[in-house]
Amino acid sequence: MTAIDTRTAPPLDTAPVDGAADVHCAGVSKTFAGGTAALRGVDLHCPSGAITVLLGPSGCGKTTLLRCIAGLETPTSGGIRIGDRDVTQTDPRRRQVAMVFQNYGLYPNKTAYGNIEYPLGMARVPKRERRDRVTHIAELLRIDHLLDRKPAQLSGGQRQRVGIGRALVREPAVLLMDEPLSSLDAELRVSMRTEIRTLQRKLRTTMVYVTHDQTEALALADQLVVLRDGRIEHSGGPEDVYGAPATTFVAGFLGAMNLLDAQPLGLPPGTLGIRPEDLLLGEAPGALTLRGPVVDADLIGTERIVHYRCGRETVRIRLRASDPVPEQITAHAPTDRIHRFDPEGNRIGKQP
Ligand code: ATP
């Protein structure tokens, strides 16, 4: 995560717009001074009024792409459109985007009210309208009773709501969120993520949301975009990306699929992908059987991920936590639950 201090970032456009706008990135590349190629020809359409989630491992270019859309970075090549305007060279303040950062970036000496109101003051919005807009957003975020507190007197989740409020009060055409929940504890992350989704549904804002947390990505995305090394590896509806990952990288990153070398199993070269939940205990005629000794087990609530050795591979299977962990496992994968990938790691066929 590139730490950004919003207090040094240029003020953003605060004029209300007529609803959300879509975002188009065409062939966006960004090479930093020193030669790091953070983005390599990204083509992306973020539909209006929907949540697009950018997911990928550290350093894959998520934040750089978000900053290019915000105008905080200029692409080395390629173009960006917001609605029907080409904004590639447009000042961030004139893009009608707002950004929420991981570190909140609140002014410590201003109250929650003062923080949310700040961008409206910068835009010389009349005082009375400012009050109405701040009150409205605070009610939506359920922080209206906390408006006279300073950031230090707020919990992490409350501070994050103030940060979101300050972005939303501008009524931006596009709301950009860079790992906004990563500093919250697990329980609060889950409830804040539900709130963000509910709020987005209510306001129909176009949202581009960066995370490296696959659970958060699946829960929030209307469109899920998996990035790797500055390129889009797979994009689509979350069910489609999870259900039929385009590459072994996407399969392994999203949902921790078992990826098995096909040749030792008597098949042509390539990789077989089987999700732990798609392995069933016992054998079945004609089904691929995977058998071996148990080496480890992780409890995850009502289920357990059991690891067992099968030849040179370690296979994961999902079992009920209430059942004892066996010493040996024999399991099979129904043919229609096996994903196939060629030796380059690209998916073969549409369905699993
Ligand atoms: P994380 O999840 O860790 O935040 P990310 O996917 O958001 O990662 P970016 O911050 O976009 O990744 O960085 C992509 C690549 O560009 C990385 O290799 C990073 O080191 C490099 N990079 C980012 N900002 C700069 C910069 N200002 N100057 C030089 N290199 C940079």
Side-chain angles (χ1 to χ4, degrees):
M1 169 60 49
T2 320
I4 304 151
D5 186 345
T6 41
R7 285 163 289 185
T8 58
L12 298 164
D13 198 340
T14 50
V17 291
D18 297 334
D22 59 355
V23 179
H24 278 273
C25 300
V28 171
S29 293
K30 175 71 185 179
T31 303
F32 285 106
T36 306
L39 298 172
R40 304 161 194 256
V42 169
D43 293 311
L44 174 65
H45 175 230
C46 306
S48 172
I51 305 180
T52 295
V53 174
L54 307 180
L55 174 70
S58 185
C60 69
K62 307 179 293 291
T63 297
T64 305
L65 183 55
L66 208 66
R67 288 172 58 82
C68 285
I69 297 171
L72 301 172
E73 300 287 356
T74 307
T76 314
S77 60
I80 295 174
R81 256 188 322 118
I82 295 179
D84 51 13
R85 287 198 311 150
D86 184 329
V87 297
T88 316
Q89 303 297 332
T90 304
D91 187 280
R93 286 167 293 189
R94 314 244 166 275
R95 292 191 182 201
Q96 293 168 331
V97 298
M99 194 153 166
V100 178
F101 301 98
Q102 180 185 25
N103 61 357
Y104 318 129
L106 300 179
Y107 299 95
N109 297 323
K110 288 186 190 293
T111 59
Y113 184 97
N115 268 285
I116 300 174
E117 184 200 33
Y118 183 74
L120 301 180
M122 293 293 286
R124 302 207 192 331
V125 172
K127 199 158 181 125
R128 198 195 171 116
E129 184 186 335
R130 273 190 257 167
R131 197 174 56 227
D132 290 347
R133 281 167 70 174
V134 173
T135 310
H136 174 63
I137 286 291
E139 281 168 6
L140 271 179
L141 289 161
R142 291 186 283 114
I143 47 170
D144 40 324
H145 59 298
L146 302 170
L147 287 175
D148 55 356
R149 293 210 198 160
K150 299 220 169 121
Q153 300 165 307
L154 297 169
S155 72
Q158 291 164 343
R159 277 201 284 270
Q160 187 55 290
R161 285 194 188 97
V162 174
I164 293 171
R166 188 177 56 183
L168 282 175
V169 80
R170 301 173 177 137
E171 301 177 17
V174 180
L175 181 61
L176 307 173
M177 300 186 116
D178 193 354
E179 309 233 16
L181 306 183
S182 56
S183 50
L184 304 181
D185 65 47
E187 199 180 331
L188 196 53
R189 281 180 80 119
V190 174
S191 63
M192 279 300 291
R193 139 182 128 200
T194 311
E195 281 188 34
I196 287 176
R197 196 179 165 93
T198 308
L199 196 67
Q200 188 275 339
R201 289 290 182 257
K202 203 177 275 177
L203 301 173
R204 302 304 306 179
T205 314
T206 307
M207 195 185 277
V208 188
Y209 188 105
V210 161
T211 182
H212 59 260
D213 178 333
Q214 47 151 323
T215 317
E216 195 164 290
L218 286 170
L220 275 175
D222 296 307
Q223 171 174 245
L224 181 58
V225 179
V226 182
L227 284 168
R228 178 195 193 186
D229 287 343
R231 290 195 180 87
I232 293 181
E233 186 94 354
H234 193 173
S235 76
E239 290 89 356
D240 298 335
V241 179
Y242 185 87
T247 63
T248 47
F249 174 82
V250 177
F253 194 74
L254 200 60
M257 191 181 274
N258 288 301
L259 294 169
L260 311 174
D261 188 356
Q263 261 183 321
L265 299 167
L267 298 162
T271 303
L272 299 186
I274 307 168
R275 294 209 182 275
E277 60 269 30
D278 290 334
L279 272 174
L280 307 175
L281 286 177
E283 293 184 68
L288 175 72
T289 302
L290 299 171
R291 157 181 312 122
V294 170
V295 291
D296 200 5
D298 309 322
L299 183 64
I300 47 163
T302 56
E303 292 185 313
R304 207 187 294 278
I305 301 287
V306 176
H307 305 238
Y308 68 102
R309 291 294 294 174
C310 179
R312 287 165 48 196
E313 315 264 12
T314 300
V315 180
R316 284 154 300 164
I317 182 171
R318 211 179 251 261
L319 300 178
R320 274 207 307 260
S322 52
D323 293 344
V325 179
E327 281 182 17
Q328 288 276 332
I329 285 191
T330 301
H332 68 278
T335 310
D336 64 352
R337 303 309 308 159
I338 299 178
H339 305 252
R340 288 167 211 280
F341 301 94
D342 67 18
E344 278 71 51
N346 294 312
R347 177 176 204 88
I348 303 169
K350 267 192 157 13
Q351 290 306 312

Short mmCIF file of all heavy atoms in Angstrom, two decimals, residues 281-282 290-296 306-311 315 317 319 324-331:
data_model
loop_
_atom_site.label_atom_id
_atom_site.label_comp_id
_atom_site.label_asym_id
_atom_site.label_seq_id
_atom_site.Cartn_x
_atom_site.Cartn_y
_atom_site.Cartn_z
N LEU A 281 -15.68 -37.47 0.04
CA LEU A 281 -15.07 -38.66 0.64
C LEU A 281 -15.52 -39.92 -0.08
O LEU A 281 -16.65 -40.00 -0.58
CB LEU A 281 -15.46 -38.75 2.12
CG LEU A 281 -14.76 -37.75 3.05
CD1 LEU A 281 -15.29 -37.88 4.47
CD2 LEU A 281 -13.24 -37.92 3.03
N GLY A 282 -14.61 -40.89 -0.17
CA GLY A 282 -14.93 -42.17 -0.80
C GLY A 282 -14.56 -42.18 -2.27
O GLY A 282 -14.00 -41.21 -2.79
N LEU A 290 -8.26 -39.40 -5.17
CA LEU A 290 -7.04 -38.88 -4.55
C LEU A 290 -6.98 -39.43 -3.13
O LEU A 290 -7.89 -39.19 -2.33
CB LEU A 290 -7.08 -37.34 -4.52
CG LEU A 290 -7.16 -36.65 -5.88
CD1 LEU A 290 -7.41 -35.16 -5.71
CD2 LEU A 290 -5.89 -36.87 -6.70
N ARG A 291 -5.89 -40.14 -2.83
CA ARG A 291 -5.82 -40.86 -1.57
C ARG A 291 -4.48 -40.61 -0.91
O ARG A 291 -3.48 -40.43 -1.62
CB ARG A 291 -6.04 -42.34 -1.94
CG ARG A 291 -5.53 -43.35 -1.02
CD ARG A 291 -5.77 -44.79 -1.49
NE ARG A 291 -7.13 -45.10 -1.93
CZ ARG A 291 -7.43 -45.57 -3.14
NH1 ARG A 291 -6.50 -45.77 -4.04
NH2 ARG A 291 -8.68 -45.84 -3.45
N GLY A 292 -4.45 -40.56 0.44
CA GLY A 292 -3.16 -40.40 1.11
C GLY A 292 -3.31 -40.06 2.58
O GLY A 292 -4.42 -39.88 3.09
N PRO A 293 -2.16 -39.94 3.28
CA PRO A 293 -2.17 -39.67 4.72
C PRO A 293 -2.40 -38.18 5.04
O PRO A 293 -1.91 -37.30 4.33
CB PRO A 293 -0.76 -40.09 5.17
CG PRO A 293 0.09 -39.93 3.94
CD PRO A 293 -0.80 -40.17 2.76
N VAL A 294 -3.13 -37.94 6.12
CA VAL A 294 -3.41 -36.56 6.57
C VAL A 294 -2.15 -35.97 7.19
O VAL A 294 -1.45 -36.63 7.96
CB VAL A 294 -4.58 -36.56 7.57
CG1 VAL A 294 -4.73 -35.20 8.25
CG2 VAL A 294 -5.87 -36.96 6.86
N VAL A 295 -1.85 -34.71 6.84
CA VAL A 295 -0.66 -34.06 7.40
C VAL A 295 -1.00 -32.84 8.26
O VAL A 295 -0.20 -32.42 9.10
CB VAL A 295 0.36 -33.67 6.31
CG1 VAL A 295 0.99 -34.90 5.70
CG2 VAL A 295 -0.27 -32.80 5.24
N ASP A 296 -2.19 -32.28 8.09
CA ASP A 296 -2.50 -31.05 8.85
C ASP A 296 -4.00 -30.79 8.75
O ASP A 296 -4.67 -31.35 7.87
CB ASP A 296 -1.73 -29.88 8.24
CG ASP A 296 -1.59 -28.72 9.21
OD1 ASP A 296 -2.02 -28.86 10.37
OD2 ASP A 296 -1.06 -27.66 8.79
N VAL A 306 -8.70 -29.98 5.77
CA VAL A 306 -7.76 -31.05 6.09
C VAL A 306 -6.79 -31.19 4.92
O VAL A 306 -7.19 -31.24 3.75
CB VAL A 306 -8.52 -32.37 6.35
CG1 VAL A 306 -7.53 -33.51 6.59
CG2 VAL A 306 -9.46 -32.21 7.54
N HIS A 307 -5.49 -31.21 5.25
CA HIS A 307 -4.44 -31.32 4.24
C HIS A 307 -3.96 -32.76 4.23
O HIS A 307 -3.66 -33.31 5.29
CB HIS A 307 -3.24 -30.42 4.59
CG HIS A 307 -3.61 -28.98 4.82
ND1 HIS A 307 -3.06 -27.95 4.10
CD2 HIS A 307 -4.46 -28.39 5.70
CE1 HIS A 307 -3.56 -26.80 4.52
NE2 HIS A 307 -4.41 -27.05 5.49
N TYR A 308 -3.86 -33.36 3.05
CA TYR A 308 -3.29 -34.72 3.00
C TYR A 308 -2.38 -34.87 1.79
O TYR A 308 -2.50 -34.14 0.81
CB TYR A 308 -4.38 -35.79 3.07
CG TYR A 308 -5.32 -35.90 1.89
CD1 TYR A 308 -5.15 -36.91 0.94
CD2 TYR A 308 -6.41 -35.03 1.74
CE1 TYR A 308 -6.03 -37.06 -0.12
CE2 TYR A 308 -7.28 -35.17 0.67
CZ TYR A 308 -7.09 -36.17 -0.25
OH TYR A 308 -7.96 -36.30 -1.31
N ARG A 309 -1.43 -35.81 1.93
CA ARG A 309 -0.43 -36.03 0.88
C ARG A 309 -0.98 -37.01 -0.13
O ARG A 309 -1.53 -38.04 0.23
CB ARG A 309 0.86 -36.63 1.47
CG ARG A 309 1.65 -35.73 2.36
CD ARG A 309 2.25 -34.54 1.66
NE ARG A 309 3.27 -34.86 0.67
CZ ARG A 309 3.82 -33.95 -0.13
NH1 ARG A 309 3.45 -32.68 -0.06
NH2 ARG A 309 4.74 -34.30 -1.00
N CYS A 310 -0.82 -36.68 -1.38
CA CYS A 310 -1.24 -37.60 -2.44
C CYS A 310 -0.11 -37.57 -3.47
O CYS A 310 0.04 -36.58 -4.18
CB CYS A 310 -2.56 -37.12 -3.01
SG CYS A 310 -3.16 -38.14 -4.34
N GLY A 311 0.73 -38.60 -3.46
CA GLY A 311 1.93 -38.57 -4.29
C GLY A 311 2.80 -37.41 -3.86
O GLY A 311 3.09 -37.26 -2.66
N VAL A 315 -3.00 -32.08 -0.87
CA VAL A 315 -4.37 -31.80 -1.30
C VAL A 315 -5.16 -31.30 -0.09
O VAL A 315 -4.96 -31.76 1.03
CB VAL A 315 -5.03 -33.09 -1.86
CG1 VAL A 315 -6.46 -32.84 -2.30
CG2 VAL A 315 -4.20 -33.66 -2.99
N ILE A 317 -9.00 -30.69 1.54
CA ILE A 317 -10.40 -31.09 1.45
C ILE A 317 -11.14 -30.43 2.61
O ILE A 317 -10.57 -30.20 3.68
CB ILE A 317 -10.55 -32.63 1.49
CG1 ILE A 317 -12.01 -33.06 1.34
CG2 ILE A 317 -9.96 -33.24 2.76
CD1 ILE A 317 -12.20 -34.57 1.15
N LEU A 319 -13.96 -30.61 5.35
CA LEU A 319 -14.78 -31.60 6.06
C LEU A 319 -15.53 -30.92 7.20
O LEU A 319 -15.15 -29.83 7.63
CB LEU A 319 -13.90 -32.71 6.65
CG LEU A 319 -13.06 -33.52 5.64
CD1 LEU A 319 -12.21 -34.55 6.38
CD2 LEU A 319 -13.95 -34.22 4.61
N PRO A 324 -14.41 -36.48 13.38
CA PRO A 324 -13.00 -36.59 13.76
C PRO A 324 -12.10 -36.51 12.52
O PRO A 324 -12.53 -36.85 11.42
CB PRO A 324 -12.92 -37.99 14.40
CG PRO A 324 -14.13 -38.71 13.93
CD PRO A 324 -15.18 -37.70 13.59
N VAL A 325 -10.87 -36.02 12.72
CA VAL A 325 -9.93 -35.93 11.59
C VAL A 325 -9.35 -37.33 11.35
O VAL A 325 -8.74 -37.91 12.25
CB VAL A 325 -8.78 -34.93 11.91
CG1 VAL A 325 -7.80 -34.85 10.75
CG2 VAL A 325 -9.35 -33.56 12.24
N PRO A 326 -9.56 -37.89 10.16
CA PRO A 326 -9.05 -39.25 9.91
C PRO A 326 -7.54 -39.25 9.69
O PRO A 326 -6.94 -38.20 9.47
CB PRO A 326 -9.79 -39.67 8.63
CG PRO A 326 -10.15 -38.38 7.97
CD PRO A 326 -10.23 -37.32 9.00
N GLU A 327 -6.92 -40.45 9.76
CA GLU A 327 -5.48 -40.54 9.49
C GLU A 327 -5.20 -40.61 8.00
O GLU A 327 -4.17 -40.16 7.52
CB GLU A 327 -4.90 -41.78 10.19
CG GLU A 327 -4.69 -41.51 11.66
CD GLU A 327 -4.07 -42.70 12.38
OE1 GLU A 327 -3.52 -43.58 11.71
OE2 GLU A 327 -4.18 -42.71 13.61
N GLN A 328 -6.11 -41.24 7.29
CA GLN A 328 -5.98 -41.41 5.84
C GLN A 328 -7.24 -40.84 5.19
O GLN A 328 -8.31 -40.93 5.78
CB GLN A 328 -5.93 -42.91 5.50
CG GLN A 328 -4.65 -43.62 5.87
CD GLN A 328 -3.59 -43.45 4.80
OE1 GLN A 328 -3.92 -43.29 3.62
NE2 GLN A 328 -2.33 -43.44 5.19
N ILE A 329 -7.07 -40.32 4.00
CA ILE A 329 -8.26 -39.85 3.28
C ILE A 329 -8.29 -40.46 1.88
O ILE A 329 -7.26 -40.53 1.19
CB ILE A 329 -8.30 -38.31 3.20
CG1 ILE A 329 -8.70 -37.78 4.58
CG2 ILE A 329 -9.27 -37.82 2.12
CD1 ILE A 329 -9.05 -36.34 4.66
N THR A 330 -9.47 -40.93 1.51
CA THR A 330 -9.73 -41.31 0.12
C THR A 330 -10.88 -40.43 -0.33
O THR A 330 -11.94 -40.42 0.32
CB THR A 330 -10.12 -42.79 0.00
OG1 THR A 330 -9.06 -43.58 0.52
CG2 THR A 330 -10.40 -43.17 -1.45
N ALA A 331 -10.64 -39.67 -1.38
CA ALA A 331 -11.70 -38.76 -1.84
C ALA A 331 -11.71 -38.75 -3.36
O ALA A 331 -10.71 -39.08 -4.00
CB ALA A 331 -11.45 -37.36 -1.30
#
